[in-house]
Amino acid sequence: MSPPDRGEVADSWIPWRTFLDPILLEYDGPLLIEVFNAIPAFLDSLRLTRRKFWIPGEDEPVAGVPSAYEVAEDTIRKLRSELATPHTA
């Protein structure tokens, strides 16, 4: 599960239920959540739309920017919420 800009699922515009409902009719296995992170060496040379999420134990915390782990936790909460809500066509 990853939005088109490879950023945060929790604030993505993707209608997850519309996307997941047909898939989950046939598939009941695990879902993979991908949190793509900008690589510091490429931040200035590439046109990245996503910000760099800092990684606890590797990076200094950045005020106002979530850690990669917080982004992953928000994603899990968002998808669980979406899947728990009945879909209306």
Side-chain angles (χ1 to χ4, degrees), residues 5 41 55-56 65:
D5 68 352
I55 300 172
V65 176

Side-chain angles (χ1 to χ4, degrees), residues 10-64:
D11 65 1
S12 171
W13 55 267
I14 296 290
W16 292 107
R17 283 306 301 252
T18 301
F19 171 75
L20 288 173
D21 280 348
I23 294 169
L24 296 177
L25 287 174
E26 302 293 327
Y27 177 77
D28 68 351
L31 300 174
L32 172 70
I33 297 169
E34 294 183 302
V35 177
F36 284 83
N37 211 355
I39 300 170
F42 297 107
L43 281 176
D44 295 328
S45 61
L46 297 175
R47 293 182 186 161
L48 298 172
T49 59
R50 65 190 179 279
R51 60 186 163 197
K52 164 89 168 75
F53 306 119
W54 60 276
I55 300 172
E58 293 184 26
D59 302 311
E60 290 295 320
V62 178

